[in-house]
Amino acid sequence: MKRQVALLITLFIGTLLVVSVFIPPMESLKETFTLFFDIIAVFAFFLGGGNLLRVHLTKLSKRKQDWVYSIVTLVGFTVVLVIGLFKLGNPGGIAASPTAEGSLFQTLFDNVLVPLSSTMYALLAFFVASASYRAFRAKNREATILLIAAFIILLGRTPFGMMLTSWVPNSLSILQIPNLAIWIMNSANLAGQRAIMIGIGLGVVSMSIRIILGIERTYLGEEK
Amino acid sequence: MDDQLYRQPVFRVFQIFLIIFTVLAGSIFAQDPAIGLTDSADVFVPAPPGAVKATDVVYDQGGAVDLEWELSPDDDGSLKVSGYYICRREVGGEDYRLVDSVMAGVRTFVDETVEQDHTYQYMVAVNGDCSTAPSEESNSITPDMEWLNFGLSNLFIIGLVICGSVIYFIAHAKRGKKFFIRKIAGLEAVDEAIGRATEMGRPILFVPGILDMDDVQTIAALTILGRVSRVVADYDTKINVPVSRSLVMTAARETIKSSYMAAGRPDAYSDDMAAYITDEQFGYVAAVDGMMVREKPATCFLLGAFFAESLILAETGNSIGAIQIAGTARPAQLPFFVAACDFTLIGEELFAASAYLSGEPKQMGSLKGQDVGKAIAMVFIVLGVITTTLAQAWDIGVFTWISDLLHDLFQVTS
Amino acid sequence: MDAIGLWIGAFLTLGIMSFLYKDNPWYKLSESIFVGVSAGYWFITLFWDSIYSKFYIGVSQEGDNYLYVGAILGLMMLMRLIPKVGWISRWPLAFIVGAISGFYLINYFSSNIMRQVANTVMPLFSTDYGQSLFSASVGTIIDNILVAGGTFAGLVYFFFSKEHKGAFGATAKVGIWVIMVTFGATFGYTVMSRMSLLIGRMDFIFGDWLGLIK
Amino acid sequence: MFTPAPLLALSSSTIGVSISLGLVGLGMVWMLIRSLRARDVDRRIVFLFIFISVSAPILFPITFSETPTPVVKKLFDKVESLPADSKVLISFDFDPAMAPEVQPMADAFTRHCMAKNHKVIFMSLWATGQSLLNQTMRAVLVTEFPEKRDGIDYVELGYKAGNEGVLNVIVSNFRKMFPTDVNSIPLDSIEIFDKIKSCRDLDLIISIGGGKPGIKEWVLFVGDPTKTPIGAGVAAVVAPQLYPYYPKQLLGLLGGVKGAAEYESELVRHYPQFEEVDKPGLRMMGPQTFAHVVILAFIVLGNISFFVSRRRASR
């Protein structure tokens, strides 16, 4: 019974949103749902954040491996919460936006989160290199095509691409690697992109229908 | 050549000066009609713009009116006309009020400040207020709200056809019709991958992307998690689902729990299987990376919405020698999965996965249905390309007709 | 203050980088700081933005009482904390999933299917729909044909309900090749952006921190 | 595209570069020998190579000149051709992680619009975009254009949560989503907004980002319905998947540092006064090039060792 209600909710809301597109008076429905979602998400955080605390506190109390680091996490978490909620060290006081210039909260962001996230992101440079060394090998035809396309584009992004093929007469300028690179981006790449996009579109449509009709219900629990 | 002149900074300055002047002039004389009326010889008053046509904007909530007028003969780019000033009044009500203004050379305006079911009249004046060289009054117009957006009827029709085909085949399958579905390598490998983890006595890592429940890919990932954790429950292997959104954590727990119940082992389920890390993209990645190198999972599922982290996770997973099954609908990230993972679900396959894994006829039916959708799209593409090309080659009525039809059919207005 | 910030930044930057060598206490430390602080940061941002700016202001000042529905759904979510009524948290979940499915169904339909098909329906010998015949250069004509054909083949690859055999299989093969070119291109194109991120960090280390770049 | 001529327009001491490149070169030879023996190298060595080839050109700068590709030129020309006082919205839809790549674009756009005396509206769909927006404000607007006044020449709306939701609203009404600007000044008392109700009233929208919500959302939720031209500056990674939208739904596109560099050089070509300002895009092209070459080398080496080992196996 409880689950039937849930399925009905999905069915009703889903259909409603689909229909709303064709009915001008219901245009604003999307915005409303977006607002609702944001609000729900914050409530949900009490579960997520709560779980974060629980996990690390147990780790701490049970003196599990690496429990020391749990202290760091816990401290960091609570400190930010306190600073942010009471807007400590915020020039504008409680009225100002939490991310106001010069606020302690913002400083924390600039000096701790910015370096951390951008460095984590920067690691990609290394992984891209190791991946291209390890994975870009002409194992089979697909792999070879992937490899060649990537190689041409890469070359096209360097001055050497131009230098290597500068002897090519302008009548055949398409064969100059940088142009070749751009051409690949605009033709074959475009075709692939479109095929993938249309496919995705159909995938989403069909999955949404399954969900709305309650055929796909794994996320709601499958008690038998 | 004119263009050259136009670019001259001197000219620019002059032009800006002129605009400022005209606007000032306009407003001054607006404030003091006495002067405005007496010697208009000093102030050049351009000829009024031509007739104003007001039409209701269709398929809206009745909050907008389309205006169109003929430019003033003096509006020849010589800046005698600084701009057009749209004035409006309610019929039988107050006199004309300035609503808004547009630059010279503009001949249309959408008034979004009207109220439904009130009747309005418009006129367009130049240079600053409603009294300088106003046009004739427009037709009176009553913006109203439509109940159906016929502008989207093509979307509706095609949508009906494709969604219809999906539903039809689901229903068809319900009546016990079996459909052939080709093997999808990535999904064939799921059982084996889980089995491997069981043998090695190592955990399984399932990453449902980094977006919240408001993204379909996350939902798709969770539906797959349902199938996976069902198998995991049977094998009695350890599964970790670190997530970067609280809502996803909740949903993931719900999903795993029910799978364990379905497998008849509710006792084996624990909330620790799905844990929230942090909303911050790279904070989450840092943590998951750490998890990988410390717990050394034998199998990694990377399914859902991924951004830059795709390769970080995939390469780290690879460095610990895990079997990796990845999938996303983000074209930008697919290459990295293809390069660094053992199996990759490309776009549509991600959404088809749970249906495929479920093995239920109904779900299989939906796959058949979306294939029909694909077929339709392909037919339209082929037909469209051919007819449009032919229509261009020889202007034969039927081709032009078909190609135009197809074109209108697929143009999405809003 | 700035100096301290700089050093903290450098410390954390190197901490994360050290992961490239192998997992180590320095990384673990940076990681735990990262997780703790960022989790807090996001909650605060969301809180002030959704609960305060959107909900509280909306209800108290704009009088958008319908927002209470959102709040109620949120509370239902929290019911999980009480085992007895935990099941009710499924309703907001069902609500969200339903809404998103419905929303994306139409959205993807028009943007991914309709629009992409429309963009593919192109006269092969002209630069664009409605342009005169042979307005396109030879190159463009080849492109048009390639794009149309490639898209078609790519779609064939995604067919689930038909064995990839014979002519159909061959087309599917071409399709996957086209897709592979796409992937290769994307990968190659991406390297650049990845590098720039690293360059950015190096700038920070060598320039801002060590002051080696004038 | 590159012009080979000024390729080696070396700015400062080449010694350092040549030394480090020598190192890389030797290393490569060593790797080649290993590969010929079909022995793969540890990934950490790969990492080391990347580290050197990137940091060397940073410490000893080298710059190449750029000529804009059409897709960049188109956007530049649009900004250039708009009459003064046109209303341009620049949205900072990225985070610090993406910043090194796209912030240069943001700065370039801002400079260009200011030089053209456009009215600029700054906003962000990313919580993390706010502080980066402030950075550009501080670094470009305030320092280089002190004469420009807040609220008259530009306005900062700042960040609003709600992703596409925000766009769904502002497409029909700014004030509904942004009752005030970031300094809580009501929009009605901001001059720029006298004539702006919704996105329809803008002359150009430039979204800078690379994630979600980002350019795609701007195009689907704002560009298509309102027909307002949309330009974009994106991380190179997302550029390819945006090509389907160009040129119909997307006016122009800056992809990655190269895009930024091209825009910068084009900007300097039209506005010599920007000769002196820092041009991170151009500055970053040096290390870029070296890193690319190294990666290309890796792909080659990888395949050598692959083929050698396969031949061994077949024997």
Side-chain angles (χ1 to χ4, degrees):
Chain A
M1 155 56 202
K2 292 166 188 168
R3 195 146 133 279
Q4 294 316 320
V5 178
L7 288 173
L8 281 178
I9 295 175
T10 317
L11 177 64
F12 175 69
I13 301 295
T15 330
L16 195 66
L17 266 178
V18 174
V19 176
S20 72
V21 178
F22 301 97
I23 300 173
M26 293 165 75
E27 258 171 4
S28 53
L29 218 53
K30 270 190 257 119
E31 304 164 18
T32 319
F33 281 113
T34 328
L35 283 170
F36 284 1
F37 181 83
D38 295 341
I39 297 169
I40 300 175
V42 181
F43 277 94
F45 185 90
F46 289 102
L47 301 172
N51 187 66
L52 186 78
L53 290 172
R54 206 191 91 244
V55 167
H56 286 281
L57 285 172
T58 39
K59 218 173 168 188
L60 195 56
S61 56
K62 293 216 179 88
R63 290 279 184 281
K64 284 193 191 157
Q65 191 199 2
D66 288 341
W67 59 273
V68 198
Y69 301 104
S70 297
I71 304 178
V72 182
T73 309
L74 288 169
V75 172
F77 186 59
T78 35
V79 167
V80 176
L81 281 190
V82 173
I83 294 180
L85 280 180
F86 304 106
K87 301 196 175 162
L88 304 179
N90 188 327
I94 195 74
S97 96
T99 52
E101 278 299 282
S103 66
L104 190 51
F105 192 65
Q106 193 55 32
T107 327
L108 211 62
F109 174 81
D110 294 334
N111 293 320
V112 178
L113 283 189
V114 172
L116 276 169
S117 56
S118 40
T119 312
M120 200 65 211
Y121 200 166
L123 292 191
L124 262 171
F126 298 99
F127 289 127
V128 162
S130 62
S132 40
Y133 175 63
R134 186 177 53 74
F136 276 24
R137 305 191 171 185
K139 299 188 195 75
N140 53 40
R141 201 180 264 108
E142 284 74 21
T144 318
I145 294 172
L146 181 78
L147 160 70
I148 294 171
F151 200 86
I152 293 175
I153 298 285
L154 276 168
L155 214 50
R157 307 293 284 176
T158 67
F160 306 99
M162 193 60 192
M163 289 162 78
L164 288 175
T165 50
S166 47
W167 52 270
V168 176
N170 283 338
S171 52
L172 296 170
S173 57
I174 182 67
L175 292 179
Q176 291 170 346
I177 287 177
N179 304 349
L180 203 56
I182 293 170
W183 175 74
I184 291 179
M185 298 303 297
N186 289 322
S187 59
N189 171 58
L190 194 55
Q193 294 285 352
R194 285 205 182 135
I196 294 175
M197 281 170 101
I198 296 177
I200 289 171
L202 287 158
V204 171
V205 168
S206 142
M207 188 185 77
S208 304
I209 291 177
R210 288 203 301 272
I211 289 176
I212 294 174
L213 295 184
I215 294 169
E216 182 63 75
R217 52 178 69 167
T218 34
Y219 66 98
L220 275 180
E222 292 253 26
E223 323 120 358
K224 299 232 157 59
Chain B
M1 158 53 218
D2 293 335
D3 212 34
Q4 286 298 330
L5 173 74
Y6 192 68
R7 282 227 183 70
Q8 295 292 333
V10 190
F11 185 83
R12 248 304 125 66
V13 174
F14 170 71
Q15 177 188 6
I16 292 168
F17 168 77
L18 208 61
I19 293 176
I20 296 166
F21 172 77
T22 24
V23 173
L24 281 183
S27 42
I28 292 168
F29 295 125
Q31 283 149 14
D32 195 341
I35 310 172
L37 291 176
T38 50
D39 42 18
S40 58
D42 300 356
V43 198
F44 170 82
V45 178
V52 188
K53 203 162 126 297
T55 47
D56 179 26
V57 174
V58 288
Y59 312 136
D60 65 344
Q61 303 193 19
V65 169
D66 264 322
L67 293 179
E68 197 179 352
W69 59 87
E70 285 144 30
L71 298 181
S72 152
D74 292 313
D75 182 4
D76 47 15
S78 64
L79 301 164
K80 279 179 253 159
V81 174
S82 67
Y84 292 98
Y85 292 76
I86 289 85
C87 307
R88 182 186 73 204
R89 72 162 184 169
E90 266 196 58
V91 172
E94 80 270 312
D95 46 12
Y96 281 94
R97 293 248 179 77
L98 186 59
V99 181
D100 205 333
S101 68
V102 293
M103 286 195 299
V106 180
R107 56 176 76 243
T108 60
F109 177 76
V110 182
D111 180 5
E112 285 168 324
T113 60
V114 293
E115 280 173 28
Q116 186 189 343
D117 300 334
H118 292 230
T119 308
Y120 299 96
Q121 265 185 313
Y122 289 86
M123 59 184 206
V124 176
V126 292
N127 299 3
D129 59 15
C130 292
S131 55
T132 327
S135 69
E136 292 142 21
E137 292 190 324
S138 76
N139 53 310
S140 53
I141 177 87
T142 317
D144 61 346
M145 170 169 71
E146 288 73 13
W147 288 96
L148 279 179
N149 184 344
F150 289 101
L152 292 178
S153 39
N154 60 337
L155 180 69
F156 182 76
I157 293 164
I158 301 177
L160 216 55
V161 171
I162 290 185
C163 297
S165 68
V166 173
I167 297 171
Y168 167 80
F169 280 100
I170 293 176
H172 211 54
K174 268 209 191 114
R175 284 187 254 100
K177 173 104 172 61
K178 286 256 173 294
F179 297 109
F180 165 82
I181 296 295
R182 75 165 159 94
K183 294 213 175 315
I184 300 175
L187 297 173
E188 288 297 305
V190 168
D191 280 20
E192 178 213 332
I194 299 173
R196 178 171 181 266
T198 323
E199 288 158 21
M200 301 172 76
R202 296 227 218 114
I204 291 170
L205 186 74
F206 190 106
V207 179
I210 63 158
L211 284 186
D212 209 334
M213 290 297 284
D214 61 351
D215 188 278
V216 267
Q217 299 176 70
T218 316
I219 298 178
L222 287 177
T223 58
I224 300 172
L225 173 63
R227 314 290 173 202
V228 169
S229 49
R230 174 66 202 268
V231 182
V232 171
D234 293 338
Y235 280 102
D236 190 18
T237 319
K238 190 165 175 293
I239 184 170
N240 286 334
V241 187
V243 302
S244 82
R245 310 280 169 169
S246 307
L247 266 175
V248 181
M249 178 186 82
T250 328
R253 285 181 174 174
E254 203 60 52
T255 312
I256 305 173
K257 194 163 163 197
S258 53
S259 306
Y260 270 73
M261 285 179 164
R265 324 193 50 251
D267 49 310
Y269 167 80
S270 112
D271 270 354
D272 299 337
M273 287 174 175
Y276 166 83
I277 309 272
T278 166
D279 280 65
E280 162 67 36
Q281 178 184 13
F282 289 102
Y284 173 73
V285 175
V288 174
D289 261 11
M291 236 183 236
M292 281 183 173
V293 292
R294 282 159 219 155
E295 295 174 7
K296 301 228 174 339
T299 307
C300 298
F301 292 92
L302 308 170
L303 302 166
F306 288 89
F307 294 80
E309 65 280 1
S310 59
L311 189 63
I312 304 184
L313 295 173
E315 272 293 290
T316 317
N318 178 283
S319 71
I320 58 165
I323 282 199
Q324 302 198 95
I325 300 177
T328 179
R330 293 191 50 81
Q333 303 307 331
L334 279 165
F336 303 106
F337 282 151
V338 170
C341 298
D342 305 85
F343 302 98
T344 309
L345 302 175
I346 300 169
E348 185 173 8
E349 295 172 341
L350 173 73
F351 299 104
S354 79
Y356 182 93
L357 290 171
S358 75
E360 298 169 21
K362 276 185 290 180
Q363 303 241 11
M364 295 292 189
S366 70
L367 294 187
K368 177 78 180 172
Q370 80 197 56
D371 271 3
V372 172
K374 226 166 290 160
I376 294 170
M378 286 157 72
V379 169
F380 277 129
I381 290 179
V382 175
L383 200 67
V385 170
I386 294 174
T387 50
T388 342
T389 313
L390 291 178
Q392 221 118 57
W394 313 274
D395 191 5
I396 299 175
V398 58
F399 294 143
T400 336
W401 183 76
I402 296 177
S403 87
D404 290 349
L405 176 78
L406 287 177
H407 220 261
D408 302 341
L409 202 54
F410 281 90
Q411 281 309 328
V412 188
T413 41
S414 70
Chain C
M1 181 59 222
D2 284 0
I4 306 168
L6 201 56
W7 280 82
I8 296 175
F11 175 82
L12 295 172
T13 306
L14 297 175
I16 295 289
M17 289 238 174
S18 69
F19 181 76
L20 288 172
Y21 181 65
K22 64 196 244 299
D23 189 29
N24 63 71
W26 195 359
Y27 176 75
K28 285 181 187 168
L29 181 61
S30 321
E31 175 198 327
S32 352
I33 297 175
F34 202 170
V35 171
V37 173
S38 60
Y41 181 89
W42 273 83
F43 175 62
I44 296 300
T45 333
L46 287 178
F47 175 83
W48 285 114
D49 215 90
S50 303
I51 295 296
Y52 180 76
S53 304
K54 290 213 188 100
F55 177 69
Y56 175 71
I57 299 288
V59 169
S60 61
Q61 292 174 19
E62 266 97 71
D64 303 335
N65 289 325
Y66 67 91
L67 288 175
Y68 281 115
V69 180
I72 292 167
L73 288 167
L75 287 172
M76 285 185 170
M77 209 75 211
L78 291 182
M79 288 302 149
R80 299 185 69 78
L81 298 171
I82 313 155
K84 280 242 159 300
V85 289
W87 54 268
I88 205 161
S89 70
R90 280 179 188 169
W91 293 3
L93 220 57
F95 176 90
I96 292 169
V97 174
I100 295 307
S101 313
F103 177 55
Y104 275 100
L105 195 158
I106 287 298
N107 198 316
Y108 270 74
F109 195 88
S110 63
S111 72
N112 275 45
I113 304 181
M114 306 268 284
R115 194 159 268 122
Q116 292 311 319
V117 171
N119 290 352
T120 317
V121 173
M122 275 267 297
L124 297 175
F125 304 126
S126 331
T127 45
D128 194 1
Y129 179 78
Q131 296 297 317
S132 65
L133 181 61
F134 295 116
S135 57
S137 67
V138 180
T140 326
I141 292 176
I142 297 173
D143 285 4
N144 292 344
I145 295 170
L146 223 145
V147 171
T151 313
F152 184 87
L155 281 173
V156 169
Y157 166 78
F158 283 115
F159 260 85
F160 296 119
S161 59
K162 199 161 176 355
E163 193 82 67
H164 286 178
K165 281 208 256 77
F168 189 80
T171 326
K173 203 119 193 88
V174 176
I176 191 65
W177 292 346
V178 173
I179 293 174
M180 279 302 157
V181 174
T182 312
F183 289 165
T186 316
F187 191 104
Y189 207 87
T190 310
V191 172
M192 177 147 276
S193 68
R194 301 324 188 202
M195 286 306 150
S196 31
L197 297 157
L198 180 56
I199 294 165
R201 283 336 276 164
M202 293 298 169
D203 263 342
F204 172 76
I205 291 291
F206 294 129
D208 306 357
W209 186 46
L210 298 174
L212 292 177
I213 312 170
K214 74 239 147 339
Chain D
M1 268 179 288
F2 277 98
T3 46
L7 179 57
L8 294 175
L10 301 192
S11 49
S12 80
S13 71
T14 43
I15 306 98
V17 190
S18 31
I19 294 173
S20 26
L21 287 186
L23 281 174
V24 175
L26 285 177
M28 283 295 172
V29 175
W30 171 73
M31 274 184 78
L32 176 62
I33 297 164
R34 280 186 70 92
S35 320
L36 288 172
R37 299 224 191 85
R39 301 235 301 285
D40 285 355
V41 295
D42 184 88
R43 56 214 304 267
R44 292 177 201 152
I45 297 185
V46 179
F47 295 161
L48 184 68
F49 277 109
I50 290 297
F51 180 82
I52 299 174
S53 54
V54 166
S55 26
I58 292 181
L59 292 168
F60 317 98
I62 301 178
T63 53
F64 309 100
S65 91
E66 295 280 341
T67 48
T69 41
V71 58
V72 172
K73 190 95 170 63
K74 249 184 133 152
L75 183 49
F76 183 91
D77 294 345
K78 175 69 179 180
V79 179
E80 189 64 20
S81 59
L82 282 174
D85 297 332
S86 300
K87 296 169 194 61
V88 180
L89 182 143
I90 301 182
S91 185
F92 285 57
D93 310 329
F94 57 95
D95 57 5
M98 245 180 287
E101 196 179 1
V102 291
Q103 190 113 39
M105 302 176 187
D107 297 354
F109 285 135
T110 315
R111 283 198 184 94
H112 195 184
C113 292
M114 283 303 144
K116 287 286 301 179
N117 298 318
H118 294 326
K119 307 282 184 209
V120 185
I121 301 157
F122 295 97
M123 63 171 280
S124 167
L125 294 174
W126 287 40
T128 45
Q130 177 70 60
S131 64
L132 298 151
L133 171 48
N134 295 333
Q135 263 180 44
T136 300
M137 288 250 171
R138 247 185 281 113
V140 181
L141 262 180
V142 183
T143 46
E144 291 175 34
F145 302 92
E147 75 281 6
K148 299 287 182 183
R149 292 140 307 164
D150 190 347
I152 296 160
D153 302 305
Y154 62 87
V155 56
E156 180 182 3
L157 293 181
Y159 161 72
K160 263 283 181 289
N163 304 344
E164 307 88 298
V166 177
L167 302 181
N168 273 330
V169 178
I170 63 173
V171 75
S172 58
N173 186 348
F174 266 105
R175 288 159 175 80
K176 206 159 154 198
M177 203 26 114
F178 297 94
T180 73
D181 78 349
V182 77
N183 313 317
S184 30
I185 300 168
L187 252 52
D188 299 315
S189 52
I190 297 176
E191 196 178 305
I192 297 182
F193 275 92
D194 292 352
K195 294 202 178 6
I196 303 180
K197 176 171 187 287
S198 71
C199 288
R200 288 177 200 283
D201 309 320
L202 299 168
D203 302 298
L204 174 64
I205 296 173
I206 298 176
S207 166
I208 303 158
K212 181 172 186 251
I215 288 74
K216 216 167 165 178
E217 283 66 30
W218 274 104
V219 170
L220 296 185
F221 295 99
V222 179
D224 292 349
T226 62
K227 302 281 170 294
T228 313
I230 294 199
V234 298
V237 54
V238 284
Q241 61 172 318
L242 287 172
Y243 268 108
Y245 297 104
Y246 167 85
K248 278 185 182 168
Q249 291 153 277
L250 201 56
L251 181 80
L253 187 62
L254 273 62
V257 192
K258 197 166 188 298
E262 288 172 8
Y263 201 94
E264 284 171 353
S265 46
E266 192 69 1
L267 192 58
V268 174
R269 212 163 288 137
H270 287 66
Y271 300 91
Q273 69 262 36
F274 294 134
E275 199 59 75
E276 288 316 308
V277 300
D278 178 27
K279 292 180 282 301
L282 285 166
R283 190 159 42 77
M284 277 196 277
M285 276 316 284
Q288 280 288 356
T289 315
F290 287 102
H292 275 73
V293 174
V294 171
I295 287 186
L296 286 167
F298 280 140
I299 297 182
V300 174
L301 290 170
N303 279 284
I304 292 176
S305 74
F306 169 72
F307 281 114
V308 171
S309 54
R310 195 169 64 174
R311 180 138 36 71
R312 292 249 176 100
S314 61
R315 272 217 216 94

